[in-house]
Amino acid sequence: SDVCSSDLNLTNYEGALEGGESGAVIVAGDPENSRLIIIQSSDEPHFAQLTTEELNLVADWIANGAPEN
């Protein structure tokens, strides 16, 4: 599914946790089941591709419960 076409808002904490039309993209404590990580880890090119370092930081943040601060 195409995350970019939904109403997904990753510009703030509340929007990121709320997800978009297709549902949640972040599962706090579970990066392996977080759509954000799944999509960013795929081999398919897509909008706003994270670097490997950025992806690892986001995965660690999600694994730690996705705290606000």
Side-chain angles (χ1 to χ4, degrees):
S1 67
D2 186 0
V3 173
C4 295
S5 66
S6 73
D7 62 352
L8 180 62
N9 177 2
L10 297 177
T11 63
N12 61 56
Y13 182 74
E14 293 80 16
L17 290 185
E18 183 177 306
E21 292 174 4
S22 299
V25 293
I26 295 171
V27 180
D30 192 1
E32 292 82 19
N33 287 307
S34 295
R35 289 181 56 237
L36 179 62
I37 300 301
I38 294 167
I39 291 167
Q40 286 287 323
S41 298
S42 76
D43 291 332
E44 294 289 320
H46 51 274
F47 179 77
Q49 178 68 42
L50 297 176
T51 66
T52 300
E53 182 179 343
E54 292 168 333
L55 183 59
N56 289 337
L57 286 170
V58 173
D60 287 346
W61 171 70
I62 292 171
N64 288 313
E68 185 169 5
N69 293 313

